[in-house]
Amino acid sequence: MSFQPSELLKIAALFYTAWLVSDRKEKGTYGKAEFWVPLLVAAALVVVIVGFLQKDLGNTVVIIFMMGVMSFVAGMTWAQIAIAGLL
């Protein structure tokens, strides 16, 4: 049995994104800079840790897609997702 750090990162990204969305919705800052900066920093960390250090593009795409879908379901517009994707 083997353990990949990306599996733990999937769960951590799931909980972090859920917490971030719910916290920013309560504060009324969802979709503003107070939401975008932490989300993009988390996404950048995922890309660096999983994409570059582990060289696992598949898990990187899965985690980033999961974070994007969670944000979209919470109310993010297609335009905002496109901008985040370009960044």
Side-chain angles (χ1 to χ4, degrees), residues 28-60:
T29 58
Y30 182 76
K32 298 180 181 169
E34 292 178 26
F35 171 75
W36 280 104
V37 172
L39 184 68
L40 292 177
V41 167
L45 286 173
V46 167
V47 169
V48 168
I49 292 170
V50 180
F52 292 123
L53 296 179
Q54 289 188 347
K55 297 188 184 356
D56 188 356
L57 184 60
N59 276 329
T60 303

Side-chain angles (χ1 to χ4, degrees), residues 30-31 35-36 39 68 70-81 84:
Y30 182 76
F35 171 75
W36 280 104
L39 184 68
M70 289 177 68
S71 299
F72 176 72
V73 169
M76 189 181 290
T77 65
W78 282 109
Q80 290 172 327
I81 289 178

